[in-house]
């Protein structure tokens, strides 16, 4: 059985915070942020909007796109490191709000790779015939664990949510291969310290420029294709320089890579899901395209998959 994405959706908060806005609160510059990261602005959620609210809005969008009713969802997986509360989980909160009465629900924590872990987990349940329709959401309200006085981190992150519905697709389409990995010895490079996110940027950078290109190539080869066959690449939207490393390794043209990092910054678990939803809706991803999704993040963790787009 082939398992693939049958609907996509996303939600980003309305409030835009530009690099120039950040110049007013920390010692930084638009020029530094642009050249080091590629980020121009990010979205920040209001106090009244929590993680589950964004997850809900992205999910409604994805269910509509898939043409699947909430009551036909069998499982909800929410990838997040910024849940409203430790429990109940965000997945239970949106199960109730959506009216997905028949769905089991769980949150999954793999930092920025969470969405990749969620997709791969969902695929197993469908492939084995246990479940038919699964909602996978990547969502973060990173602004609530951001130290707004630390220029090393506060310029990088943003809030948002992306969602997909996974189900059975035509033979040959859908998820063709995947890779997941973790290296707990690198946990010290990116973690939540008391209230705030703390990061050794240089170490995470080194890990990411090695891992993202490697995992991208691995999943393409596992799927039985060559680098030249790849039509579109969605790397975790953390830093344009890291993303470029993956693109160059695959040897694909600039316009074949998602670059929503410019507008949204790094939204952790949500970043690949938002970029996918946007680029499907704006026609950059077309039926039958060979698409590679690849992420990395705290843990350290990583994950990639190759898929043939379409139902
Ligand atoms: O989802 C995963 C999350 N994490 C990541 O993806 C992070 C990966 N790492 C990176 O993206 C990059 O390492 C950064 C963008 C965080 C930093 O870029 P870099 O080219 O590695 O810069 P650096 O850490 O080598 O710092 C260069 C200088 C330092 O000053 P000194 O020590 O050379 O005087 C920093 O203090 O830039 C300084 N700096 C800043 N200057 C202006 C750090 N942050 C800022 C800032 N504005 N916002």
């Amino acid at each position: 059985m082939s398992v693939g994405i049958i609907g996509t959706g996303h939600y980003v908060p309305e409030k835009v915070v530009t690099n120039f806005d950040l110049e007013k609160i920390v010692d930084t510059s638009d020029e530094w942020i642009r050249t080091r990261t590629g980020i121009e602005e990010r979205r920040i959620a209001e106090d009244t909007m929590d993680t589950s609210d964004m997850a809900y809005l992205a999910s409604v969008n994805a269910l509509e796109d898939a043409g699947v009713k909430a009551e036909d969802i069998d499982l909800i997986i929410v990838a997040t490191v910024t849940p409203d509360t430790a429990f109940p989980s965000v997945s239970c909160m949106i199960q109730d709000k959506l009216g997905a009465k028949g769905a089991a629900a769980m949150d999954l924590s793999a930092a920025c790779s969470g969405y990749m872990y969620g997709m791969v987990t969902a695929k197993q349940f469908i492939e084995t015939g246990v479940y038919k329709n699964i909602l996978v959401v990547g969502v973060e309200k990173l602004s609530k664990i951001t130290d707004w006085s630390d220029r090393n981190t506060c310029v990088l992150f943003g809030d948002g949510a992306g969602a997909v519905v996974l189900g059975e697709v035509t033979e040959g389409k859908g998820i063709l291969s995947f890779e997941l990995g973790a290296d707990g010895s690198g946990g010290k490079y990116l973690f939540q310290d008391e209230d705030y996110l703390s990061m050794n940027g240089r170490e995470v950078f080194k890990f990411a420029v090695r891992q993202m290109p490697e995992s991208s190539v691995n999943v393409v080869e596992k799927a039985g294709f060559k680098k030249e066959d790849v039509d579109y690449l969605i790397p975790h939207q953390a830093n344009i320089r890291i993303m470029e490393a993956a693109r160059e390794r695959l040897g694909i043209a600039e316009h074949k890579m998602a670059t929503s990092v410019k507008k949204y910054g790094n939204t952790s678990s949500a970043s690949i899901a938002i970029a996918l939803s946007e680029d499907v809706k704006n026609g950059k991803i077309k039926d039958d395209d060979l698409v590679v999704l690849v992420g990395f993040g705290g843990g350290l963790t990583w994950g990639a998959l190759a898929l043939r787009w379409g139902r």
Side-chain angles (χ1 to χ4, degrees):
M1 181 197 289
S2 298
V3 179
I5 296 168
I6 60 170
T8 61
H10 67 281
Y11 172 81
V12 289
E14 277 164 35
K15 186 178 168 190
V16 176
V17 174
T18 66
N19 293 344
F20 298 103
D21 295 327
L22 293 177
E23 284 181 358
K24 293 175 200 143
I25 61 168
V26 284
D27 180 15
T28 191
S29 66
D30 171 60
E31 204 263 332
W32 191 96
I33 303 170
R34 263 175 213 263
T35 53
R36 299 288 176 127
T37 70
I39 300 167
E40 295 171 10
E41 54 189 47
R42 69 286 292 142
R43 301 297 179 94
I44 301 296
E46 301 292 345
D47 292 344
T48 50
M49 175 159 295
D50 214 334
T51 305
S52 63
D53 301 307
M54 292 189 281
Y56 168 74
L57 293 167
S59 300
V60 168
N61 200 216
L63 288 171
E64 244 174 53
D65 189 47
V68 170
K69 292 196 199 85
E71 54 266 35
D72 293 329
I73 292 290
D74 302 306
L75 173 66
I76 301 172
I77 301 175
V78 174
T80 187
V81 292
T82 51
D84 302 35
T85 53
F87 57 92
S89 60
V90 173
S91 50
C92 281
M93 290 177 182
I94 65 170
Q95 187 241 21
D96 179 42
K97 233 170 155 178
L98 290 167
K101 292 193 186 332
M106 64 172 169
D107 283 9
L108 186 155
S109 168
C112 304
S113 314
Y115 172 70
M116 304 305 298
Y117 270 75
M119 294 263 282
V120 172
T121 304
K123 173 180 151 61
Q124 315 308 316
F125 280 109
I126 298 171
E127 219 162 46
T128 50
V130 176
Y131 293 137
K132 196 161 173 271
N133 298 310
I134 302 184
L135 175 67
V136 180
V137 186
V139 57
E140 300 293 356
K141 188 177 178 182
L142 289 168
S143 58
K144 66 183 176 187
I145 59 161
T146 299
D147 178 353
W148 291 101
S149 65
D150 175 16
R151 70 173 184 174
N152 290 299
T153 53
C154 77
V155 302
L156 303 175
F157 301 105
D159 300 334
V164 287
V165 180
L166 262 74
E168 187 178 357
V169 293
T170 316
E171 197 63 44
K173 294 199 174 186
I175 300 171
L176 307 171
S177 62
F178 71 86
E179 169 176 298
L180 295 177
D183 174 11
S185 72
K188 55 185 177 288
Y189 299 136
L190 184 52
F191 58 97
Q192 190 175 337
D193 183 12
E194 309 247 325
D195 293 338
Y196 298 125
L197 183 153
S198 179
M199 182 177 71
N200 180 331
R202 260 176 228 185
E203 288 300 331
V204 177
F205 191 94
K206 279 197 275 180
F207 154 68
V209 291
R210 188 185 68 244
Q211 195 59 53
M212 281 226 299
E214 193 180 310
S215 296
S216 304
V217 172
N218 286 350
V219 292
V220 172
E221 286 175 356
K222 266 193 204 173
F225 291 98
K226 296 197 183 75
K227 293 187 288 184
E228 306 79 87
D229 299 321
V230 177
D231 296 300
Y232 205 71
L233 171 68
I234 307 187
H236 170 41
Q237 306 285 301
N239 181 322
I240 195 84
R241 290 152 58 210
I242 302 172
M243 292 157 52
E244 283 293 332
R247 185 180 71 76
E248 280 164 18
R249 178 76 181 276
L250 286 176
I252 63 168
E254 236 172 278
H255 68 276
K256 291 185 169 186
M257 178 173 79
T259 52
S260 69
V261 67
K262 283 184 201 168
K263 298 186 295 181
Y264 304 139
N266 179 349
T267 57
S268 187
S269 295
S271 95
I272 297 174
I274 293 173
L276 176 71
S277 172
E278 271 202 340
D279 290 347
V280 166
K281 290 178 173 79
N282 65 26
K284 286 189 184 169
I285 297 172
K286 294 177 282 298
D287 207 30
D288 274 334
D289 275 356
L290 181 64
V291 183
V292 172
L293 312 183
V294 58
F296 69 93
L300 299 169
T301 54
W302 61 92
L305 59 86
L307 62 90
R308 178 71 68 194
W309 188 254
R311 296 179 68 166

